[in-house]
Amino acid sequence: MAIMSVLAGCFHPPSEAARGARSQQRKAERRRYEAEKRRWVEEQVALHLAAMYTYDGGRGGSVDVSRYGGINLELALSYEFDRRWKFARITRLLAQADGMMSGGAVKVHPLAAAEQIEAGRAGGEKP
């Protein structure tokens, strides 16, 4: 029975301080995410508007949002940011797991991985 009390001690809920710290960490991550999303969407809208008013023979910006149909440009860019952010997060988690197995650490910028894939597709490479 002594083993049961030891095991029961392992499964106690986190303390108030630990819950508060985790809550603050989540809020900080959310603020960083929202700030990065706002900055990226504004930058892409500016690129699309610049391309709309100057004919450059391109598609109208650095991000193709045609997959979202005829919705608002900012909303489409917001969806695209979320898609890229989630892809980069999964990539980072997989790279971290691989790094843990190989003994090294890998850092992935949230938008860089998705932008590299988009550039590869534009260049005719397969992902």
Side-chain angles (χ1 to χ4, degrees):
M1 292 308 275
I3 190 78
M4 294 303 275
S5 63
V6 171
L7 286 176
C10 295
F11 297 105
H12 65 283
S15 67
E16 287 292 322
R19 277 192 297 230
R22 181 67 183 138
S23 174
Q24 293 297 326
Q25 183 182 12
R26 281 193 207 123
K27 286 179 184 178
E29 288 172 6
R30 185 71 181 173
R31 281 192 299 269
R32 279 194 303 272
Y33 165 79
E34 291 293 332
E36 179 70 13
K37 182 177 183 177
R38 192 175 317 110
R39 184 202 61 78
W40 188 81
V41 168
E42 288 173 359
E43 177 183 304
Q44 295 304 316
V45 167
L47 289 173
H48 277 271
L49 291 176
M52 196 182 313
Y53 291 112
T54 60
Y55 179 75
D56 63 353
R59 62 178 181 215
S62 65
V63 178
D64 181 23
V65 291
S66 61
R67 74 179 76 186
Y68 299 108
I71 64 173
N72 181 346
L73 177 62
E74 288 185 32
L75 185 59
L77 288 168
S78 178
Y79 288 153
E80 183 67 17
F81 178 87
D82 290 337
R83 185 183 72 82
R84 290 176 180 212
W85 189 273
K86 288 174 187 171
F87 174 80
R89 185 173 182 201
I90 291 169
T91 303
R92 187 173 44 250
L93 290 173
L94 291 173
Q96 187 178 34
D98 187 41
M100 287 168 51
M101 289 180 187
S102 64
V106 179
K107 291 189 178 186
V108 178
H109 186 272
L111 297 175
E115 288 171 356
Q116 288 173 355
I117 288 177
E118 289 288 329
R121 286 183 186 154
E125 298 175 14
K126 292 184 179 181

